[in-house]
Amino acid sequence: MTDSLPHLRLGRPPTPVRELTGLTSVVPVWCKDESGYGSGGWGANKIRKLEWILPDARRQGAHTLLTVGGLGTNWGLAAALYGREQGLSTAIALIDQPVDDHVRAQLVRLRRSGAALHRTHTKRRTIASAPWLFLRHATGRRLPYFLPPGGSTPVGTLGYVEAAFELADQIASGELPEPSHVVTAVGSGGTAAGLALGLRLGEVHSRVVGVVVNDTLRLDAPAVVALAGRTERLLRERGADFPPAGLTADDVTMVRDWLGPGYGHATPEAERARSLAAATTSLELEPVYTAKALAALLAMVDVGRLSPGPVLFLNTYGPR
């Protein structure tokens, strides 16, 4: 399978797990901290996806990556930095989002990354600009290798199938108890889909809870399970042999209550969670994804929605 599904190690697994004390006394809360994953200028969950995407792009003879993200895109920055290390240039269509200190700092990083940045402003204008973007960044007759927001393709989703196997090994070795729920932010679906598939294949009974932070994509349970299904088919097509996962939309929980006004908009609940995490656990979160996911976790714990516990929080933010 290594020829048809090549892999490029960009970080050092496994990422650490630890109990987070001081957040709540209702159930134990643990964290799998992805923030340190990745050896380049950015880290965390995006790098897991790029470990599969970049060698696939090279296998197909691509010279350029073309992707989409908000003005403060972590995904676009990671693609540009790690793609550059592999000899690939990157072009990013940037969609408007509220501008705060986090976004301003990220824009500086994006400009320094060497990526070609195109302010397309809206999803509609991005779609309309797609033919021009493909032609603008073609190399000879070879079009760019396109990546949707967050790299949430079946190939990219393999990164969190692998991470779920890693978590299963950590549970089996006694590093943490098996959680009743695994909570993660969902901006494009690949992390949640890979976790759901990988945990099922690894015979871990934790339920994936996705906290939706993006209102520009369809990110309900059927959509996430459909992506997991396409990833499962990809594995089979490339030679993997395992029993059917049998995932259905009833096997994952997707919640939208902590999105706020829309993608990139700060919420008071997220800011409180961010401050609490910094004060009690030394976790650095950001307002777009991880702070909203932790806010959802704490609120759901308080009303018994994540019983019996323990609960695992996946920290997917990886600044350098």
Side-chain angles (χ1 to χ4, degrees), residues 8 10 18 28 34 44 55 68 79-80 108 112-113 122 137 155 165 179 205 218-219 224 234 240 272 279 288 299 318:
L8 174 67
L10 299 172
R18 63 183 171 107
E34 298 281 86
V68 181
V108 171
R112 290 174 178 169
S113 74
T122 66
H137 293 285
V155 171
F165 288 157
H205 301 100
R218 182 186 168 191
L219 293 171
V224 168
L234 172 67
R272 286 195 293 270
V288 180

mmCIF file with all atom_site columns, all heavy atoms in Angstrom, residues 8 10 18 28 34 44 55 68 79-80 108 112-113 122 137 155 165 179 205 218-219 224 234 240 272 279 288 299 318:
data_model
loop_
_atom_site.group_PDB
_atom_site.id
_atom_site.type_symbol
_atom_site.label_atom_id
_atom_site.label_alt_id
_atom_site.label_comp_id
_atom_site.label_asym_id
_atom_site.label_entity_id
_atom_site.label_seq_id
_atom_site.pdbx_PDB_ins_code
_atom_site.Cartn_x
_atom_site.Cartn_y
_atom_site.Cartn_z
_atom_site.occupancy
_atom_site.B_iso_or_equiv
_atom_site.pdbx_formal_charge
_atom_site.auth_seq_id
_atom_site.auth_comp_id
_atom_site.auth_asym_id
_atom_site.auth_atom_id
_atom_site.pdbx_PDB_model_num
ATOM 1   N N   . LEU A 1 8   ? 4.414   10.552 4.474   1.00 0.00 ? 8   LEU A N   1
ATOM 2   C CA  . LEU A 1 8   ? 5.597   11.339 4.775   1.00 0.00 ? 8   LEU A CA  1
ATOM 3   C C   . LEU A 1 8   ? 5.512   11.809 6.220   1.00 0.00 ? 8   LEU A C   1
ATOM 4   O O   . LEU A 1 8   ? 4.641   12.617 6.554   1.00 0.00 ? 8   LEU A O   1
ATOM 5   C CB  . LEU A 1 8   ? 5.682   12.549 3.830   1.00 0.00 ? 8   LEU A CB  1
ATOM 6   C CG  . LEU A 1 8   ? 6.786   13.565 4.103   1.00 0.00 ? 8   LEU A CG  1
ATOM 7   C CD1 . LEU A 1 8   ? 8.159   12.945 3.849   1.00 0.00 ? 8   LEU A CD1 1
ATOM 8   C CD2 . LEU A 1 8   ? 6.582   14.810 3.238   1.00 0.00 ? 8   LEU A CD2 1
ATOM 9   N N   . LEU A 1 10  ? 5.946   13.966 9.254   1.00 0.00 ? 10  LEU A N   1
ATOM 10  C CA  . LEU A 1 10  ? 6.258   15.376 9.474   1.00 0.00 ? 10  LEU A CA  1
ATOM 11  C C   . LEU A 1 10  ? 6.279   15.756 10.953  1.00 0.00 ? 10  LEU A C   1
ATOM 12  O O   . LEU A 1 10  ? 6.606   16.889 11.297  1.00 0.00 ? 10  LEU A O   1
ATOM 13  C CB  . LEU A 1 10  ? 5.237   16.265 8.751   1.00 0.00 ? 10  LEU A CB  1
ATOM 14  C CG  . LEU A 1 10  ? 5.175   16.122 7.232   1.00 0.00 ? 10  LEU A CG  1
ATOM 15  C CD1 . LEU A 1 10  ? 4.001   16.906 6.670   1.00 0.00 ? 10  LEU A CD1 1
ATOM 16  C CD2 . LEU A 1 10  ? 6.486   16.580 6.591   1.00 0.00 ? 10  LEU A CD2 1
ATOM 17  N N   . ARG A 1 18  ? -2.916  13.875 28.867  1.00 0.00 ? 18  ARG A N   1
ATOM 18  C CA  . ARG A 1 18  ? -2.827  14.216 30.283  1.00 0.00 ? 18  ARG A CA  1
ATOM 19  C C   . ARG A 1 18  ? -4.198  14.607 30.788  1.00 0.00 ? 18  ARG A C   1
ATOM 20  O O   . ARG A 1 18  ? -5.061  15.055 30.015  1.00 0.00 ? 18  ARG A O   1
ATOM 21  C CB  . ARG A 1 18  ? -1.844  15.353 30.532  1.00 0.00 ? 18  ARG A CB  1
ATOM 22  C CG  . ARG A 1 18  ? -2.207  16.699 29.887  1.00 0.00 ? 18  ARG A CG  1
ATOM 23  C CD  . ARG A 1 18  ? -1.121  17.715 30.163  1.00 0.00 ? 18  ARG A CD  1
ATOM 24  N NE  . ARG A 1 18  ? -1.278  18.952 29.426  1.00 0.00 ? 18  ARG A NE  1
ATOM 25  C CZ  . ARG A 1 18  ? -1.671  20.110 29.974  1.00 0.00 ? 18  ARG A CZ  1
ATOM 26  N NH1 . ARG A 1 18  ? -1.965  20.169 31.273  1.00 0.00 ? 18  ARG A NH1 1
ATOM 27  N NH2 . ARG A 1 18  ? -1.763  21.204 29.237  1.00 0.00 ? 18  ARG A NH2 1
ATOM 28  N N   . PRO A 1 28  ? -14.009 13.469 34.973  1.00 0.00 ? 28  PRO A N   1
ATOM 29  C CA  . PRO A 1 28  ? -12.609 13.722 34.598  1.00 0.00 ? 28  PRO A CA  1
ATOM 30  C C   . PRO A 1 28  ? -12.521 14.158 33.133  1.00 0.00 ? 28  PRO A C   1
ATOM 31  O O   . PRO A 1 28  ? -13.200 13.612 32.265  1.00 0.00 ? 28  PRO A O   1
ATOM 32  C CB  . PRO A 1 28  ? -11.929 12.369 34.814  1.00 0.00 ? 28  PRO A CB  1
ATOM 33  C CG  . PRO A 1 28  ? -12.835 11.607 35.721  1.00 0.00 ? 28  PRO A CG  1
ATOM 34  C CD  . PRO A 1 28  ? -14.222 12.068 35.402  1.00 0.00 ? 28  PRO A CD  1
ATOM 35  N N   . GLU A 1 34  ? -2.399  17.929 20.513  1.00 0.00 ? 34  GLU A N   1
ATOM 36  C CA  . GLU A 1 34  ? -1.785  17.885 19.189  1.00 0.00 ? 34  GLU A CA  1
ATOM 37  C C   . GLU A 1 34  ? -0.944  19.121 18.889  1.00 0.00 ? 34  GLU A C   1
ATOM 38  O O   . GLU A 1 34  ? -0.354  19.210 17.811  1.00 0.00 ? 34  GLU A O   1
ATOM 39  C CB  . GLU A 1 34  ? -2.884  17.758 18.126  1.00 0.00 ? 34  GLU A CB  1
ATOM 40  C CG  . GLU A 1 34  ? -3.726  16.500 18.213  1.00 0.00 ? 34  GLU A CG  1
ATOM 41  C CD  . GLU A 1 34  ? -3.028  15.298 17.617  1.00 0.00 ? 34  GLU A CD  1
ATOM 42  O OE1 . GLU A 1 34  ? -2.248  14.647 18.350  1.00 0.00 ? 34  GLU A OE1 1
ATOM 43  O OE2 . GLU A 1 34  ? -3.244  15.009 16.433  1.00 0.00 ? 34  GLU A OE2 1
ATOM 44  N N   . ALA A 1 44  ? 0.074   20.836 14.825  1.00 0.00 ? 44  ALA A N   1
ATOM 45  C CA  . ALA A 1 44  ? -1.244  20.331 15.214  1.00 0.00 ? 44  ALA A CA  1
ATOM 46  C C   . ALA A 1 44  ? -1.919  19.540 14.106  1.00 0.00 ? 44  ALA A C   1
ATOM 47  O O   . ALA A 1 44  ? -1.272  18.943 13.259  1.00 0.00 ? 44  ALA A O   1
ATOM 48  C CB  . ALA A 1 44  ? -2.137  21.441 15.728  1.00 0.00 ? 44  ALA A CB  1
ATOM 49  N N   . PRO A 1 55  ? 2.671   13.720 -0.032  1.00 0.00 ? 55  PRO A N   1
ATOM 50  C CA  . PRO A 1 55  ? 3.226   12.673 -0.913  1.00 0.00 ? 55  PRO A CA  1
ATOM 51  C C   . PRO A 1 55  ? 2.265   12.263 -2.018  1.00 0.00 ? 55  PRO A C   1
ATOM 52  O O   . PRO A 1 55  ? 2.702   11.851 -3.103  1.00 0.00 ? 55  PRO A O   1
ATOM 53  C CB  . PRO A 1 55  ? 3.520   11.518 0.045   1.00 0.00 ? 55  PRO A CB  1
ATOM 54  C CG  . PRO A 1 55  ? 2.725   11.778 1.258   1.00 0.00 ? 55  PRO A CG  1
ATOM 55  C CD  . PRO A 1 55  ? 2.588   13.264 1.374   1.00 0.00 ? 55  PRO A CD  1
ATOM 56  N N   . VAL A 1 68  ? -8.125  26.725 -0.045  1.00 0.00 ? 68  VAL A N   1
ATOM 57  C CA  . VAL A 1 68  ? -9.062  27.779 0.349   1.00 0.00 ? 68  VAL A CA  1
ATOM 58  C C   . VAL A 1 68  ? -9.083  27.857 1.872   1.00 0.00 ? 68  VAL A C   1
ATOM 59  O O   . VAL A 1 68  ? -9.000  26.832 2.558   1.00 0.00 ? 68  VAL A O   1
ATOM 60  C CB  . VAL A 1 68  ? -10.487 27.466 -0.168  1.00 0.00 ? 68  VAL A CB  1
ATOM 61  C CG1 . VAL A 1 68  ? -11.461 28.580 0.212   1.00 0.00 ? 68  VAL A CG1 1
ATOM 62  C CG2 . VAL A 1 68  ? -10.487 27.252 -1.671  1.00 0.00 ? 68  VAL A CG2 1
ATOM 63  N N   . ALA A 1 79  ? -0.125  24.250 4.956   1.00 0.00 ? 79  ALA A N   1
ATOM 64  C CA  . ALA A 1 79  ? 0.093   23.740 3.601   1.00 0.00 ? 79  ALA A CA  1
ATOM 65  C C   . ALA A 1 79  ? 1.248   24.466 2.928   1.00 0.00 ? 79  ALA A C   1
ATOM 66  O O   . ALA A 1 79  ? 2.093   23.845 2.271   1.00 0.00 ? 79  ALA A O   1
ATOM 67  C CB  . ALA A 1 79  ? -1.188  23.874 2.778   1.00 0.00 ? 79  ALA A CB  1
ATOM 68  N N   . ALA A 1 80  ? 1.296   25.801 3.097   1.00 0.00 ? 80  ALA A N   1
ATOM 69  C CA  . ALA A 1 80  ? 2.356   26.583 2.461   1.00 0.00 ? 80  ALA A CA  1
ATOM 70  C C   . ALA A 1 80  ? 3.728   26.232 3.027   1.00 0.00 ? 80  ALA A C   1
ATOM 71  O O   . ALA A 1 80  ? 4.695   26.037 2.283   1.00 0.00 ? 80  ALA A O   1
ATOM 72  C CB  . ALA A 1 80  ? 2.073   28.071 2.635   1.00 0.00 ? 80  ALA A CB  1
ATOM 73  N N   . VAL A 1 108 ? 0.217   37.971 8.797   1.00 0.00 ? 108 VAL A N   1
ATOM 74  C CA  . VAL A 1 108 ? 1.649   38.238 8.693   1.00 0.00 ? 108 VAL A CA  1
ATOM 75  C C   . VAL A 1 108 ? 2.395   36.943 8.381   1.00 0.00 ? 108 VAL A C   1
ATOM 76  O O   . VAL A 1 108 ? 3.280   36.895 7.513   1.00 0.00 ? 108 VAL A O   1
ATOM 77  C CB  . VAL A 1 108 ? 2.171   38.873 9.999   1.00 0.00 ? 108 VAL A CB  1
ATOM 78  C CG1 . VAL A 1 108 ? 3.711   38.942 9.980   1.00 0.00 ? 108 VAL A CG1 1
ATOM 79  C CG2 . VAL A 1 108 ? 1.584   40.263 10.186  1.00 0.00 ? 108 VAL A CG2 1
ATOM 80  N N   . ARG A 1 112 ? 4.586   35.867 4.947   1.00 0.00 ? 112 ARG A N   1
ATOM 81  C CA  . ARG A 1 112 ? 5.982   35.433 5.053   1.00 0.00 ? 112 ARG A CA  1
ATOM 82  C C   . ARG A 1 112 ? 6.199   34.026 4.513   1.00 0.00 ? 112 ARG A C   1
ATOM 83  O O   . ARG A 1 112 ? 7.343   33.643 4.232   1.00 0.00 ? 112 ARG A O   1
ATOM 84  C CB  . ARG A 1 112 ? 6.431   35.487 6.516   1.00 0.00 ? 112 ARG A CB  1
ATOM 85  C CG  . ARG A 1 112 ? 6.580   36.896 7.076   1.00 0.00 ? 112 ARG A CG  1
ATOM 86  C CD  . ARG A 1 112 ? 6.892   36.830 8.562   1.00 0.00 ? 112 ARG A CD  1
ATOM 87  N NE  . ARG A 1 112 ? 7.099   38.162 9.128   1.00 0.00 ? 112 ARG A NE  1
ATOM 88  C CZ  . ARG A 1 112 ? 7.179   38.406 10.433  1.00 0.00 ? 112 ARG A CZ  1
ATOM 89  N NH1 . ARG A 1 112 ? 7.083   37.397 11.302  1.00 0.00 ? 112 ARG A NH1 1
ATOM 90  N NH2 . ARG A 1 112 ? 7.372   39.631 10.860  1.00 0.00 ? 112 ARG A NH2 1
ATOM 91  N N   . SER A 1 113 ? 5.125   33.264 4.367   1.00 0.00 ? 113 SER A N   1
ATOM 92  C CA  . SER A 1 113 ? 5.255   31.856 3.963   1.00 0.00 ? 113 SER A CA  1
ATOM 93  C C   . SER A 1 113 ? 5.647   31.676 2.507   1.00 0.00 ? 113 SER A C   1
ATOM 94  O O   . SER A 1 113 ? 6.078   30.593 2.111   1.00 0.00 ? 113 SER A O   1
ATOM 95  C CB  . SER A 1 113 ? 3.925   31.122 4.207   1.00 0.00 ? 113 SER A CB  1
ATOM 96  O OG  . SER A 1 113 ? 2.953   31.503 3.235   1.00 0.00 ? 113 SER A OG  1
ATOM 97  N N   . THR A 1 122 ? -15.608 36.003 -0.564  1.00 0.00 ? 122 THR A N   1
ATOM 98  C CA  . THR A 1 122 ? -16.791 35.207 -0.224  1.00 0.00 ? 122 THR A CA  1
ATOM 99  C C   . THR A 1 122 ? -16.686 33.819 -0.856  1.00 0.00 ? 122 THR A C   1
ATOM 100 O O   . THR A 1 122 ? -15.912 33.598 -1.808  1.00 0.00 ? 122 THR A O   1
ATOM 101 C CB  . THR A 1 122 ? -18.077 35.869 -0.739  1.00 0.00 ? 122 THR A CB  1
ATOM 102 O OG1 . THR A 1 122 ? -18.062 35.868 -2.181  1.00 0.00 ? 122 THR A OG1 1
ATOM 103 C CG2 . THR A 1 122 ? -18.221 37.293 -0.223  1.00 0.00 ? 122 THR A CG2 1
ATOM 104 N N   . HIS A 1 137 ? -2.290  29.259 -11.808 1.00 0.00 ? 137 HIS A N   1
ATOM 105 C CA  . HIS A 1 137 ? -1.254  28.540 -11.085 1.00 0.00 ? 137 HIS A CA  1
ATOM 106 C C   . HIS A 1 137 ? -0.902  27.193 -11.724 1.00 0.00 ? 137 HIS A C   1
ATOM 107 O O   . HIS A 1 137 ? -0.291  26.348 -11.075 1.00 0.00 ? 137 HIS A O   1
ATOM 108 C CB  . HIS A 1 137 ? -1.655  28.373 -9.619  1.00 0.00 ? 137 HIS A CB  1
ATOM 109 C CG  . HIS A 1 137 ? -1.702  29.674 -8.890  1.00 0.00 ? 137 HIS A CG  1
ATOM 110 N ND1 . HIS A 1 137 ? -0.566  30.341 -8.498  1.00 0.00 ? 137 HIS A ND1 1
ATOM 111 C CD2 . HIS A 1 137 ? -2.761  30.458 -8.532  1.00 0.00 ? 137 HIS A CD2 1
ATOM 112 C CE1 . HIS A 1 137 ? -0.912  31.469 -7.905  1.00 0.00 ? 137 HIS A CE1 1
ATOM 113 N NE2 . HIS A 1 137 ? -2.227  31.566 -7.912  1.00 0.00 ? 137 HIS A NE2 1
ATOM 114 N N   . VAL A 1 155 ? -7.996  11.266 1.433   1.00 0.00 ? 155 VAL A N   1
ATOM 115 C CA  . VAL A 1 155 ? -6.565  11.102 1.691   1.00 0.00 ? 155 VAL A CA  1
ATOM 116 C C   . VAL A 1 155 ? -6.172  11.852 2.963   1.00 0.00 ? 155 VAL A C   1
ATOM 117 O O   . VAL A 1 155 ? -5.489  11.313 3.845   1.00 0.00 ? 155 VAL A O   1
ATOM 118 C CB  . VAL A 1 155 ? -5.733  11.584 0.485   1.00 0.00 ? 155 VAL A CB  1
ATOM 119 C CG1 . VAL A 1 155 ? -4.244  11.627 0.839   1.00 0.00 ? 155 VAL A CG1 1
ATOM 120 C CG2 . VAL A 1 155 ? -5.949  10.667 -0.714  1.00 0.00 ? 155 VAL A CG2 1
ATOM 121 N N   . PHE A 1 165 ? -5.826  5.346  15.923  1.00 0.00 ? 165 PHE A N   1
ATOM 122 C CA  . PHE A 1 165 ? -5.078  4.133  16.278  1.00 0.00 ? 165 PHE A CA  1
ATOM 123 C C   . PHE A 1 165 ? -4.041  4.440  17.362  1.00 0.00 ? 165 PHE A C   1
ATOM 124 O O   . PHE A 1 165 ? -3.820  3.640  18.276  1.00 0.00 ? 165 PHE A O   1
ATOM 125 C CB  . PHE A 1 165 ? -4.377  3.553  15.051  1.00 0.00 ? 165 PHE A CB  1
ATOM 126 C CG  . PHE A 1 165 ? -5.296  2.911  14.044  1.00 0.00 ? 165 PHE A CG  1
ATOM 127 C CD1 . PHE A 1 165 ? -4.901  2.771  12.729  1.00 0.00 ? 165 PHE A CD1 1
ATOM 128 C CD2 . PHE A 1 165 ? -6.549  2.440  14.403  1.00 0.00 ? 165 PHE A CD2 1
ATOM 129 C CE1 . PHE A 1 165 ? -5.729  2.171  11.785  1.00 0.00 ? 165 PHE A CE1 1
ATOM 130 C CE2 . PHE A 1 165 ? -7.385  1.834  13.475  1.00 0.00 ? 165 PHE A CE2 1
ATOM 131 C CZ  . PHE A 1 165 ? -6.983  1.697  12.172  1.00 0.00 ? 165 PHE A CZ  1
ATOM 132 N N   . PRO A 1 179 ? -12.103 6.980  27.120  1.00 0.00 ? 179 PRO A N   1
ATOM 133 C CA  . PRO A 1 179 ? -13.116 8.021  27.333  1.00 0.00 ? 179 PRO A CA  1
ATOM 134 C C   . PRO A 1 179 ? -14.471 7.592  26.793  1.00 0.00 ? 179 PRO A C   1
ATOM 135 O O   . PRO A 1 179 ? -14.562 6.819  25.831  1.00 0.00 ? 179 PRO A O   1
ATOM 136 C CB  . PRO A 1 179 ? -12.563 9.214  26.558  1.00 0.00 ? 179 PRO A CB  1
ATOM 137 C CG  . PRO A 1 179 ? -11.635 8.640  25.551  1.00 0.00 ? 179 PRO A CG  1
ATOM 138 C CD  . PRO A 1 179 ? -11.138 7.328  26.069  1.00 0.00 ? 179 PRO A CD  1
ATOM 139 N N   . HIS A 1 205 ? -14.516 2.363  22.080  1.00 0.00 ? 205 HIS A N   1
ATOM 140 C CA  . HIS A 1 205 ? -15.949 2.625  22.093  1.00 0.00 ? 205 HIS A CA  1
ATOM 141 C C   . HIS A 1 205 ? -16.299 4.076  22.383  1.00 0.00 ? 205 HIS A C   1
ATOM 142 O O   . HIS A 1 205 ? -17.464 4.398  22.650  1.00 0.00 ? 205 HIS A O   1
ATOM 143 C CB  . HIS A 1 205 ? -16.628 1.693  23.103  1.00 0.00 ? 205 HIS A CB  1
ATOM 144 C CG  . HIS A 1 205 ? -16.412 0.236  22.784  1.00 0.00 ? 205 HIS A CG  1
ATOM 145 N ND1 . HIS A 1 205 ? -15.471 -0.527 23.433  1.00 0.00 ? 205 HIS A ND1 1
ATOM 146 C CD2 . HIS A 1 205 ? -16.971 -0.559 21.840  1.00 0.00 ? 205 HIS A CD2 1
ATOM 147 C CE1 . HIS A 1 205 ? -15.482 -1.751 22.927  1.00 0.00 ? 205 HIS A CE1 1
ATOM 148 N NE2 . HIS A 1 205 ? -16.385 -1.795 21.959  1.00 0.00 ? 205 HIS A NE2 1
ATOM 149 N N   . ARG A 1 218 ? -21.364 22.130 4.845   1.00 0.00 ? 218 ARG A N   1
ATOM 150 C CA  . ARG A 1 218 ? -22.277 21.186 5.470   1.00 0.00 ? 218 ARG A CA  1
ATOM 151 C C   . ARG A 1 218 ? -21.473 20.278 6.403   1.00 0.00 ? 218 ARG A C   1
ATOM 152 O O   . ARG A 1 218 ? -20.627 19.502 5.960   1.00 0.00 ? 218 ARG A O   1
ATOM 153 C CB  . ARG A 1 218 ? -22.992 20.342 4.416   1.00 0.00 ? 218 ARG A CB  1
ATOM 154 C CG  . ARG A 1 218 ? -24.001 19.383 5.057   1.00 0.00 ? 218 ARG A CG  1
ATOM 155 C CD  . ARG A 1 218 ? -24.623 18.429 4.072   1.00 0.00 ? 218 ARG A CD  1
ATOM 156 N NE  . ARG A 1 218 ? -25.352 17.379 4.780   1.00 0.00 ? 218 ARG A NE  1
ATOM 157 C CZ  . ARG A 1 218 ? -25.829 16.287 4.200   1.00 0.00 ? 218 ARG A CZ  1
ATOM 158 N NH1 . ARG A 1 218 ? -25.666 16.098 2.899   1.00 0.00 ? 218 ARG A NH1 1
ATOM 159 N NH2 . ARG A 1 218 ? -26.463 15.374 4.917   1.00 0.00 ? 218 ARG A NH2 1
ATOM 160 N N   . LEU A 1 219 ? -21.752 20.373 7.684   1.00 0.00 ? 219 LEU A N   1
ATOM 161 C CA  . LEU A 1 219 ? -20.972 19.635 8.674   1.00 0.00 ? 219 LEU A CA  1
ATOM 162 C C   . LEU A 1 219 ? -21.882 18.927 9.673   1.00 0.00 ? 219 LEU A C   1
ATOM 163 O O   . LEU A 1 219 ? -21.616 18.920 10.874  1.00 0.00 ? 219 LEU A O   1
ATOM 164 C CB  . LEU A 1 219 ? -20.016 20.595 9.407   1.00 0.00 ? 219 LEU A CB  1
ATOM 165 C CG  . LEU A 1 219 ? -18.899 21.180 8.538   1.00 0.00 ? 219 LEU A CG  1
ATOM 166 C CD1 . LEU A 1 219 ? -18.159 22.278 9.284   1.00 0.00 ? 219 LEU A CD1 1
ATOM 167 C CD2 . LEU A 1 219 ? -17.937 20.087 8.088   1.00 0.00 ? 219 LEU A CD2 1
ATOM 168 N N   . VAL A 1 224 ? -20.283 14.045 7.844   1.00 0.00 ? 224 VAL A N   1
ATOM 169 C CA  . VAL A 1 224 ? -19.039 13.556 8.444   1.00 0.00 ? 224 VAL A CA  1
ATOM 170 C C   . VAL A 1 224 ? -18.908 12.051 8.252   1.00 0.00 ? 224 VAL A C   1
ATOM 171 O O   . VAL A 1 224 ? -17.829 11.542 7.907   1.00 0.00 ? 224 VAL A O   1
ATOM 172 C CB  . VAL A 1 224 ? -18.990 13.945 9.938   1.00 0.00 ? 224 VAL A CB  1
ATOM 173 C CG1 . VAL A 1 224 ? -17.867 13.215 10.657  1.00 0.00 ? 224 VAL A CG1 1
ATOM 174 C CG2 . VAL A 1 224 ? -18.812 15.460 10.077  1.00 0.00 ? 224 VAL A CG2 1
ATOM 175 N N   . LEU A 1 234 ? -11.435 4.248  0.181   1.00 0.00 ? 234 LEU A N   1
ATOM 176 C CA  . LEU A 1 234 ? -10.091 4.513  -0.330  1.00 0.00 ? 234 LEU A CA  1
ATOM 177 C C   . LEU A 1 234 ? -9.101  3.479  0.197   1.00 0.00 ? 234 LEU A C   1
ATOM 178 O O   . LEU A 1 234 ? -8.286  2.934  -0.564  1.00 0.00 ? 234 LEU A O   1
ATOM 179 C CB  . LEU A 1 234 ? -9.652  5.914  0.086   1.00 0.00 ? 234 LEU A CB  1
ATOM 180 C CG  . LEU A 1 234 ? -8.189  6.282  -0.202  1.00 0.00 ? 234 LEU A CG  1
ATOM 181 C CD1 . LEU A 1 234 ? -7.937  6.367  -1.700  1.00 0.00 ? 234 LEU A CD1 1
ATOM 182 C CD2 . LEU A 1 234 ? -7.810  7.592  0.485   1.00 0.00 ? 234 LEU A CD2 1
ATOM 183 N N   . ALA A 1 240 ? -6.069  -2.307 1.600   1.00 0.00 ? 240 ALA A N   1
ATOM 184 C CA  . ALA A 1 240 ? -6.269  -2.657 3.005   1.00 0.00 ? 240 ALA A CA  1
ATOM 185 C C   . ALA A 1 240 ? -7.396  -3.676 3.124   1.00 0.00 ? 240 ALA A C   1
ATOM 186 O O   . ALA A 1 240 ? -8.379  -3.638 2.372   1.00 0.00 ? 240 ALA A O   1
ATOM 187 C CB  . ALA A 1 240 ? -6.596  -1.410 3.816   1.00 0.00 ? 240 ALA A CB  1
ATOM 188 N N   . ARG A 1 272 ? -14.312 32.801 27.784  1.00 0.00 ? 272 ARG A N   1
ATOM 189 C CA  . ARG A 1 272 ? -14.218 32.304 29.162  1.00 0.00 ? 272 ARG A CA  1
ATOM 190 C C   . ARG A 1 272 ? -13.482 30.962 29.201  1.00 0.00 ? 272 ARG A C   1
ATOM 191 O O   . ARG A 1 272 ? -12.641 30.728 30.086  1.00 0.00 ? 272 ARG A O   1
ATOM 192 C CB  . ARG A 1 272 ? -15.621 32.168 29.774  1.00 0.00 ? 272 ARG A CB  1
ATOM 193 C CG  . ARG A 1 272 ? -16.255 33.497 30.138  1.00 0.00 ? 272 ARG A CG  1
ATOM 194 C CD  . ARG A 1 272 ? -17.457 33.291 31.051  1.00 0.00 ? 272 ARG A CD  1
ATOM 195 N NE  . ARG A 1 272 ? -18.558 32.616 30.362  1.00 0.00 ? 272 ARG A NE  1
ATOM 196 C CZ  . ARG A 1 272 ? -19.520 33.250 29.693  1.00 0.00 ? 272 ARG A CZ  1
ATOM 197 N NH1 . ARG A 1 272 ? -19.501 34.589 29.607  1.00 0.00 ? 272 ARG A NH1 1
ATOM 198 N NH2 . ARG A 1 272 ? -20.487 32.585 29.112  1.00 0.00 ? 272 ARG A NH2 1
ATOM 199 N N   . ALA A 1 279 ? -5.431  29.528 32.544  1.00 0.00 ? 279 ALA A N   1
ATOM 200 C CA  . ALA A 1 279 ? -5.176  29.699 33.968  1.00 0.00 ? 279 ALA A CA  1
ATOM 201 C C   . ALA A 1 279 ? -4.987  28.376 34.699  1.00 0.00 ? 279 ALA A C   1
ATOM 202 O O   . ALA A 1 279 ? -4.200  28.297 35.647  1.00 0.00 ? 279 ALA A O   1
ATOM 203 C CB  . ALA A 1 279 ? -6.307  30.500 34.607  1.00 0.00 ? 279 ALA A CB  1
ATOM 204 N N   . VAL A 1 288 ? -11.289 30.739 17.321  1.00 0.00 ? 288 VAL A N   1
ATOM 205 C CA  . VAL A 1 288 ? -12.071 30.283 16.164  1.00 0.00 ? 288 VAL A CA  1
ATOM 206 C C   . VAL A 1 288 ? -12.487 28.819 16.293  1.00 0.00 ? 288 VAL A C   1
ATOM 207 O O   . VAL A 1 288 ? -13.617 28.447 15.965  1.00 0.00 ? 288 VAL A O   1
ATOM 208 C CB  . VAL A 1 288 ? -11.286 30.515 14.858  1.00 0.00 ? 288 VAL A CB  1
ATOM 209 C CG1 . VAL A 1 288 ? -12.089 30.044 13.643  1.00 0.00 ? 288 VAL A CG1 1
ATOM 210 C CG2 . VAL A 1 288 ? -10.919 31.990 14.715  1.00 0.00 ? 288 VAL A CG2 1
ATOM 211 N N   . ALA A 1 299 ? -19.900 23.056 28.892  1.00 0.00 ? 299 ALA A N   1
ATOM 212 C CA  . ALA A 1 299 ? -21.346 23.224 29.025  1.00 0.00 ? 299 ALA A CA  1
ATOM 213 C C   . ALA A 1 299 ? -22.068 21.881 28.972  1.00 0.00 ? 299 ALA A C   1
ATOM 214 O O   . ALA A 1 299 ? -23.013 21.643 29.739  1.00 0.00 ? 299 ALA A O   1
ATOM 215 C CB  . ALA A 1 299 ? -21.869 24.153 27.924  1.00 0.00 ? 299 ALA A CB  1
ATOM 216 N N   . GLY A 1 318 ? -1.902  24.620 16.935  1.00 0.00 ? 318 GLY A N   1
ATOM 217 C CA  . GLY A 1 318 ? -0.470  24.396 17.008  1.00 0.00 ? 318 GLY A CA  1
ATOM 218 C C   . GLY A 1 318 ? 0.398   25.542 16.559  1.00 0.00 ? 318 GLY A C   1
ATOM 219 O O   . GLY A 1 318 ? 1.115   25.434 15.551  1.00 0.00 ? 318 GLY A O   1
#
